[in-house]
Amino acid sequence: MNHEDTPKSPAQPADEASANNLPKAYDPHLIEQRWAEYWVRERLFDVPTPATDPGTPHLGEMWDMEPNRVPSRPTGGPREAGKGRANAFTLLLPPPNVTGRLHMGHMLNQTEMDILTRWHRMSGQTSLWVPGTDHAGIATQMMVERQLAAEGTSRKSLGREPFEERVWEWKHQYGSAITNQMRRLGASVDWSREYFTMDDRLSVAVKEAFVRLYEQDLIYRGSYIVNWDPIQQTAVSDLEVTHEDRLGKLYHIRYPFADGTGSIVVATTRPETMLGDTAVAVNPTDARYTAFIGKLVTLPMSAVEGGLDREIPILADEWAQPEFGTGAVKVTPAHDPNDFAIGQRHALPSLTILDTSAHIDLPGSPYHGLDRFEAREKIVADLEAAGLLVAIKDHNLTIALSQRSGAVIEPRLSLQWFLAVNKIPAAGGNSIAQNAIAAVREGHIKFTPSMYEKTYMEWMHNIHDWCISRQLWWGHRIPAWHCSSCSAITVARDIPAACATCNSANISQETDVLDTWFSSGLLPFTVFGWPGTSNLEPQLSNLTPDLAAFYPTSLLVTGFDILFFWVARMIMLGTHFMLDVPMPDGSPRKLTEAVPFREVYIHALVRDANREKMSKTKGNVVDPIEIITKYGTDAVRFTLASMASPGTDIAFSEARTEGNRAFANKIWNAARFLFMNLDRARQAGIEVTLPTLGTPDLASETRDGVSPNLASPTSDALESRWILTRLSQTSAAVNNSLSDYRFDEAANTIYQFFWGDLCDWYLEIVKLRLNFEPTNDLPFPTSDAAEVAVSQTTTALTTLVGVFESALRLLSPFMPFLTEEIWHALYAGLPPAKSIALTRYPQAGDYPRDEAAYVEMFTLQELITTVRALRKELGIPEKESAPISIHGDAKTLDSLQFSQDILARLARVSRIEVSAIALTGNNARSTASFDVAVLYERTIDIPAERERLTKDLAKYEKGLAAAERQLSNDSFMTKAPSAIVEGLRTQAAETRLLYDKTKAALDALPAQ
RNA sequence: GGGCGGUUAGCUCAGCUGGUUAGAGCGCCUGCCUUACAAGCAGGAUGUCGGGGGUUCGAGUCCCUCACUGCCCACCA
């Protein structure tokens, strides 16, 4: 911890930890970078593939593998997800886009994952966190296209292959920006397993998945209405479309009957699509129109030259709703999903009248080449001129926008590839959606918070086939070849030489690529090597050693925004493919082992301090790197963790972060205190045993008992017994909270323990026990004094170091940098493990509990607090000591008798008198267990005192009344559990006592 | 149009299966540079738990209803 020099290798820190060379204020910059690099360089969190042992991969062997070696699994740590399963905790990082920059959402996500991974690792599980990045089709393509535009060129003028090369170049140059930012956060991932979704091995897997689904007849190609983004010029899935309410117009347009006998008025929001109308529909029950059914109308564009002069039928279809508009609807099958369905029902032709950029595509017509919105205006004007525009009404409509480009979605009939999610495979079994539903319904996947299970189910039950093709260049190109001779399609794993149908060599590969989510939906098994490379029996070969060891993954941590995009797709594809992969023992895999993960933890959105969604346009985006630079990574991590309560969004607060930086500083200074005293001890020749409880070797020996290191030589002083009890309680609470993903509870518990218990009380008391100059100022009168002092100092310091080291381990998953730094310094260059992250997580059973000490300490704290308050009220100067008088039961007095030195130091008590009678008056206060008076002559502020007492009295009176009402209520007495009744009785008695005392004090106040 | 949340101190939020007198951090007020820490220490003030009704011996907690607010889903021209 020598910060004056150039940073030393963290593996060999300064020889001696000394308070002298520690800066007074904690400066995260001096240490964070160093440790982040150390963790990566030393490969501390890598988990190698288990040795191939055909038949039964043996995870037990992994315990001997350095360096991810952890103490044996203690009892009371994380709950095991599946019984009888290897002791592994596996987690897949939701891959950020290669184009991405770290934002607060990432940081929250990664902080939570890192806390859990570090906790599981320290709890004795082989913990594997797999990182990677996503090629993010559209986003990346856009990024490079923008770059090209700046250079005055374009994707199209470059051509497909040079463009793809260009994107790869971009990826190699900038693609690691986000993972480098991750390293800075201290994410304890296995970097040796880092993947990119377009890596060769993953591309092979994507191809394999596609081909298998095609062979199973679950992928098909067809012409359907899809959501078309005219800017990107590609189809997008339903999920990539957002809806916005806008005020629009409803146009009433007259369509004259072809026979000249009249007309019908239709209502539409999109007059321009009438160019593609092939029918008019009315409801069969609509009496206004039944007579017209079967008649032909002339498309009113007939006045225009260009082949638009056509007659279309009026037909009956349930879709037309009499109440809406005029009750008659024009039908444009190629440009509206509903109209398409009507067209299907009535075998109508589909006329595509817009090109891929949403311009009218009708050569020869006066509208040709116009943008759809320009065309609308012109058509409306023309209709009006022709006297065919009946009305224009305001109309609230919902428009569909492309999430990525913001373009108004144009429903467009086009040839796309789909995944049939509701189809029962030819070979039998369940549909993809059915498996995905069963996996959750049968409890093989658990959602936290559980309400998301409902959301998931709702969506999955109403799911449509998934359009998986995209008209992009960047992505996994669909492994299908079109034959120009017979137009058959050949789908193959390897580039085919000829058409599989007619054997023609005139084949060319499909130009579409796959939806990015198709490849990321496969990740939970493809990252572990699926489909395998061996040439064994194909199905069996799919079980790679990594899959055997790590699939299903334990957990998925993510935001709800990708619940459908990614989570649902992983469940669909995971259950579909993995059901075919045998278990390590050769038995068929069941659904429970086929799921991609056993649990899903869904976290909140990070918003700004005003609860506004962070967005670039609003300019309220909080850059995590900026905040980290300002407050330190640990402080930001701790802030996010402490605010991450399930179900509610996080309003990121800089004030909170500031508070947590103060917490880090507090710990830093507690460490300085510790090192200062270790220095003194060294100079005084006192030897302090460093704690080994958390180290791998000792942990296995002490797993069921109390560490000999902490139990002995442990001071039997009250504060020692108390702090160990608190440590045990805190460990229990933190482990419980983390089991339930209650990061907020866990963080707050540790905060309270470290600051409240350890620093505010324990450290202050321990100062009394540390005495390095036995000849001076000694409270012991005997000649053995020096010896006693040395032994007391030794045990006190040993306990202090032990407790502090445990607290560091407890905090380590939350604040990995700070704790790593101090922990290494504690061992002065000879740490018992390479990292605090490889030590054992504190367990309740690691520390002796002493309930009596807990109660005794509570009374003492109450006394000290009361005396402090009285002193303040009496206006006693801070530095001045004062005598007190106590009245209480024998037990209380007895216990306080041994704590006189503590009272003297913490409450500046110079002398203690015992009073046989109750104490009242303006210098006294009462609690349930004692009365105490500070003996100090000073006039007090009588009105203020009267006000305080009156307030108290009212409070007691109210409480007493409530309690007595309850106690005299027969049904309460008979129905309430006895513990509650007893509790209330005790409380009532105490309140009565306090009431009486307060009343007496009030009466004793001089009148004014 | 369906569905799901939220409403607790000035601010941001806890409060688990209903059970003693509702908590924390920040902010605020008062006094302290007490030799680990002023990014600190000590003391203090602050709530008809959104409104109304109900169930219960007992409701911040369960039910109904209203209000406000946020989000997700949705093919009504």
Side-chain angles (χ1 to χ4, degrees):
Chain A
M1 300 240 302
N2 187 337
H3 301 295
E4 308 304 318
D5 309 354
T6 41
K8 297 191 180 186
S9 159
Q12 291 122 23
D15 305 332
E16 305 266 310
S18 163
N20 300 332
N21 53 14
L22 291 185
K24 214 168 162 184
Y26 172 55
D27 183 355
H29 301 105
L30 296 174
I31 66 161
E32 288 185 351
Q33 193 65 38
R34 195 154 40 91
W35 287 114
E37 283 164 12
Y38 173 78
W39 293 329
V40 175
R41 178 165 19 96
E42 295 291 316
R43 302 192 160 280
L44 292 186
F45 308 122
D46 288 10
V47 180
T49 299
T52 325
D53 179 10
T56 46
H58 206 59
L59 265 189
E61 288 165 11
M62 297 176 60
W63 294 115
D64 299 327
M65 293 186 306
E66 292 290 353
N68 191 3
R69 181 170 177 221
V70 283
S72 61
R73 187 181 166 79
T75 46
R79 286 174 208 131
E80 225 163 326
K83 268 287 164 223
R85 180 157 187 271
N87 189 21
F89 175 75
T90 320
L91 185 66
L92 189 64
L93 173 84
N97 290 354
V98 269
T99 54
R101 305 291 291 184
L102 196 78
H103 56 66
M104 270 300 173
H106 290 129
M107 179 143 187
L108 170 70
N109 193 229
Q110 293 181 19
T111 298
E112 290 176 341
M113 284 187 279
D114 196 41
I115 288 171
L116 290 171
T117 307
R118 285 172 183 269
W119 173 57
H120 280 277
R121 185 182 293 116
M122 290 178 77
S123 299
Q125 288 180 280
T126 300
S127 298
L128 171 60
W129 183 10
V130 184
T133 44
D134 193 283
H135 66 277
I138 294 184
T140 313
Q141 177 160 327
M142 269 173 81
M143 185 79 85
V144 176
E145 279 190 278
R146 219 173 292 145
Q147 218 176 41
L148 290 175
E151 295 167 18
T153 175
S154 74
R155 166 167 69 106
K156 288 198 170 137
S157 55
L158 218 59
R160 183 159 188 154
E161 272 177 34
F163 178 77
E164 284 179 60
E165 269 167 41
R166 184 63 194 258
V167 182
W168 274 110
E169 247 173 64
W170 186 93
K171 190 261 169 188
H172 289 132
Q173 202 167 348
Y174 304 106
S176 51
I178 192 144
T179 47
N180 286 337
Q181 288 178 317
M182 262 189 89
R183 286 177 174 84
R184 185 156 174 192
L185 300 185
S188 64
V189 301
D190 179 348
W191 289 109
S192 74
R193 290 174 180 268
E194 183 179 359
Y195 64 85
F196 176 58
T197 48
M198 282 191 24
D199 283 346
D200 286 346
R201 68 186 178 98
L202 291 185
S203 298
V204 167
V206 168
K207 218 179 288 174
E208 178 68 26
F210 183 94
V211 173
R212 282 198 198 180
L213 287 165
Y214 185 80
E215 287 169 353
Q216 292 160 351
D217 217 11
L218 293 175
I219 282 181
Y220 62 93
R221 189 172 187 245
S223 273
Y224 294 90
I225 293 276
V226 294
N227 304 297
W228 187 265
D229 178 337
I231 292 182
Q232 308 289 161
Q233 306 211 5
T234 178
V236 295
S237 78
D238 291 348
L239 288 174
E240 291 162 285
V241 174
T242 57
H243 298 271
E244 215 170 83
D245 288 333
R246 288 204 187 154
L247 186 62
K249 306 270 186 230
L250 190 63
Y251 302 86
H252 290 208
I253 302 167
R254 185 176 309 279
Y255 282 24
F257 294 155
D259 58 12
T261 57
S263 65
I264 187 165
V265 177
V266 302
T268 179
T269 53
R270 301 199 55 196
E272 71 278 14
T273 61
M274 68 191 294
L275 299 173
D277 283 358
T278 52
V280 168
V282 297
N283 195 285
T285 62
D286 193 336
R288 291 172 295 177
Y289 300 123
T290 40
F292 303 149
I293 293 169
K295 262 184 178 305
L296 292 177
V297 296
T298 307
L299 198 64
M301 288 293 106
S302 53
V304 173
E305 70 265 47
L308 288 177
D309 189 1
R310 62 172 189 273
E311 296 179 349
I312 57 175
I314 297 177
L315 49 84
D317 194 283
E318 301 282 345
W319 167 249
Q321 298 189 16
E323 321 80 63
F324 190 91
T326 61
V329 59
K330 60 188 224 40
V331 181
T332 320
H335 292 284
D336 183 281
N338 298 308
D339 293 4
F340 181 74
I342 298 174
Q344 296 272 308
R345 285 197 285 273
H346 300 274
L348 298 173
S350 296
L351 294 178
T352 298
I353 55 128
L354 291 167
D355 66 12
T356 54
S357 64
H359 288 69
I360 304 289
D361 186 18
L362 288 172
S365 100
Y367 306 108
H368 180 69
L370 289 182
D371 172 79
R372 54 191 158 159
F373 300 114
E374 293 168 7
R376 180 180 302 174
E377 281 176 34
K378 186 160 164 48
I379 286 173
V380 169
D382 289 351
L383 286 169
E384 191 167 17
L388 295 169
L389 185 66
V390 178
I392 301 179
K393 302 199 165 159
D394 284 342
H395 178 62
N396 286 316
L397 51 94
T398 310
I399 59 158
L401 300 173
S402 167
Q403 194 182 55
R404 184 61 63 177
S405 70
V408 175
I409 289 293
E410 183 63 48
R412 184 182 163 84
L413 185 65
S414 68
L415 202 51
Q416 303 286 345
W417 294 84
F418 294 88
L419 177 64
V421 292
N422 291 314
K423 186 173 177 184
I424 308 289
N430 289 328
S431 74
I432 289 174
Q434 281 169 342
N435 276 338
I437 288 168
V440 173
R441 190 189 52 225
E442 292 168 14
H444 308 308
I445 297 174
K446 187 186 143 210
F447 282 82
T448 304
S450 56
M451 64 166 177
Y452 287 109
E453 183 178 321
K454 223 172 159 181
T455 312
Y456 168 86
M457 283 297 192
E458 194 61 33
W459 188 77
M460 196 56 87
H461 278 292
N462 296 307
I463 192 169
H464 298 301
D465 285 355
W466 171 15
C467 175
I468 52 172
S469 48
R470 294 290 182 277
Q471 289 66 51
L472 305 173
W473 286 355
W474 176 242
H476 298 282
R477 196 159 168 181
I478 290 177
W481 283 261
H482 300 284
C483 176
S484 51
S485 306
C486 74
S487 55
I489 290 172
T490 305
V491 168
R493 290 168 176 82
D494 302 307
I495 302 175
C499 169
T501 306
C502 73
N503 215 25
S504 158
N506 284 329
I507 55 170
S508 54
Q509 190 174 358
E510 167 67 56
T511 53
D512 289 358
V513 299
L514 287 165
D515 181 4
T516 302
W517 298 104
F518 184 84
S519 54
S520 45
L522 303 166
L523 286 173
F525 48 99
T526 55
V527 295
F528 295 128
W530 185 93
T533 49
S534 95
N535 291 320
L536 297 174
E537 199 185 328
Q539 297 291 292
L540 197 63
S541 73
N542 292 156
L543 183 71
T544 65
D546 271 343
L547 276 179
F550 303 118
Y551 194 92
T553 64
S554 312
L555 175 68
L556 179 75
V557 181
T558 190
F560 64 82
D561 49 330
I562 53 174
L563 180 61
F564 305 135
F565 276 115
W566 194 46
V567 181
R569 266 81 179 262
M570 281 193 288
I571 298 176
M572 291 193 286
L573 294 170
T575 51
H576 181 75
F577 283 107
M578 287 304 287
L579 274 173
D580 293 338
V581 177
M583 295 297 289
D585 65 5
S587 63
R589 190 172 290 260
K590 296 201 179 89
L591 198 52
T592 179
E593 297 294 332
V595 295
F597 30 74
R598 301 194 180 285
E599 292 195 34
V600 183
Y601 173 71
I602 297 196
H603 61 235
L605 224 60
V606 183
R607 296 166 174 276
D608 76 357
N610 302 318
R611 304 195 56 76
E612 300 265 343
K613 213 168 181 169
M614 291 187 190
S615 77
K616 277 183 200 154
T617 45
K618 272 189 230 160
N620 63 344
V621 176
V622 178
D623 177 6
I625 298 298
E626 250 172 59
I627 297 286
I628 282 173
T629 308
K630 207 162 161 191
Y631 299 103
T633 308
D634 283 335
V636 185
R637 285 175 58 119
F638 200 85
T639 303
L640 289 170
S642 68
M643 298 187 81
S645 57
T648 47
D649 288 345
I650 294 177
F652 184 78
S653 143
E654 235 182 284
R656 275 292 269 271
T657 314
E658 215 174 310
N660 289 322
R661 179 185 59 179
F663 180 48
N665 188 53
K666 187 77 183 172
I667 292 158
W668 180 258
N669 277 290
R672 286 181 61 223
F673 171 80
L674 185 64
F675 292 134
M676 193 184 82
N677 283 293
L678 286 174
D679 275 356
R680 286 189 196 156
R682 204 174 293 120
Q683 280 158 23
I686 293 172
E687 203 165 314
V688 177
T689 319
L690 289 166
T692 51
L693 173 59
T695 61
D697 295 338
L698 201 86
S700 52
E701 291 162 25
T702 58
R703 53 181 300 174
D704 294 320
V706 168
S707 157
N709 194 38
L710 265 184
S712 157
T714 291
S715 158
D716 59 358
L718 172 63
E719 73 277 4
S720 295
R721 290 179 286 131
W722 169 75
I723 195 72
L724 289 169
T725 304
R726 286 292 300 129
L727 191 50
S728 172
Q729 292 167 343
T730 304
S731 304
V734 171
N735 279 300
N736 273 335
S737 297
L738 287 177
S739 295
D740 294 336
Y741 306 108
R742 291 304 303 265
F743 301 96
D744 57 330
E745 276 183 9
N748 292 332
T749 304
I750 295 174
Y751 185 96
Q752 168 56 34
F753 171 76
F754 221 122
W755 198 322
D757 296 327
L758 204 151
C759 291
D760 288 350
W761 290 100
Y762 179 65
L763 282 190
E764 290 306 319
I765 296 174
V766 130
K767 286 175 182 173
L768 284 168
R769 316 294 182 216
L770 303 176
N771 205 325
F772 301 101
E773 292 165 58
T775 45
N776 298 337
D777 191 27
L778 223 123
F780 305 97
T782 71
S783 57
D784 296 331
E787 207 176 300
V788 172
V790 167
S791 125
Q792 184 192 298
T793 302
T794 309
T795 51
L797 201 50
T798 305
T799 309
L800 170 62
V801 173
V803 168
F804 193 78
E805 192 268 348
S806 286
L808 287 176
R809 279 186 279 122
L810 206 52
L811 179 64
S812 161
F814 299 82
M815 293 190 155
F817 294 99
L818 174 65
T819 52
E820 185 83 296
E821 174 76 8
I822 298 174
W823 188 80
H824 277 265
L826 196 59
Y827 291 97
L830 295 168
K834 272 188 161 179
S835 164
I836 191 172
L838 302 181
T839 61
R840 166 189 169 102
Y841 203 67
Q843 302 297 323
D846 290 351
Y847 313 96
R849 283 214 197 191
D850 185 335
E851 297 302 329
Y854 184 76
V855 173
E856 205 173 308
M857 184 68 186
F858 181 81
T859 308
L860 183 60
Q861 287 173 309
E862 205 176 21
L863 179 61
I864 290 168
T865 309
T866 311
V867 171
R868 280 171 176 168
L870 272 173
R871 287 172 50 97
K872 176 104 174 169
E873 233 166 73
L874 293 166
I876 304 178
E878 297 262 344
K879 284 183 172 168
E880 205 171 304
S881 290
I884 61 170
S885 178
I886 306 183
H887 169 74
D889 60 53
K891 199 181 153 203
T892 305
L893 293 176
D894 196 45
S895 74
L896 292 175
Q897 185 190 332
F898 298 102
S899 305
Q900 292 187 28
D901 47 352
I902 299 178
L903 275 167
R905 188 182 169 91
L906 269 61
R908 302 240 177 222
V909 170
S910 57
R911 183 164 43 85
I912 301 172
E913 285 176 10
V914 173
S915 166
I917 55 161
L919 297 161
T920 55
N922 51 35
N923 64 342
R925 280 215 195 160
S926 304
T927 70
S929 47
F930 58 80
D931 300 341
V932 62
V934 174
L935 308 175
Y936 190 81
E937 308 238 344
R938 182 85 179 238
T939 47
I940 58 149
D941 184 344
I942 292 172
E945 185 68 358
R946 185 187 307 282
E947 195 189 326
R948 184 181 70 79
L949 289 172
T950 309
K951 231 178 196 171
D952 280 355
L953 196 67
K955 189 174 74 185
Y956 297 141
E957 200 169 2
K958 201 175 142 199
L960 200 56
E964 281 173 351
R965 194 175 342 108
Q966 285 271 69
L967 288 171
S968 60
N969 182 329
D970 281 345
S971 39
F972 171 74
M973 298 304 283
T974 52
K975 290 185 186 174
S978 58
I980 297 295
V981 176
E982 259 330 291
L984 191 64
R985 276 218 180 93
T986 315
Q987 181 232 325
E990 281 175 6
T991 310
R992 157 73 58 196
L993 201 66
L994 288 168
Y995 177 84
D996 290 345
K997 286 175 175 179
T998 309
K999 184 87 170 51
L1002 196 57
D1003 291 346
L1005 277 182
Q1008 193 155 345

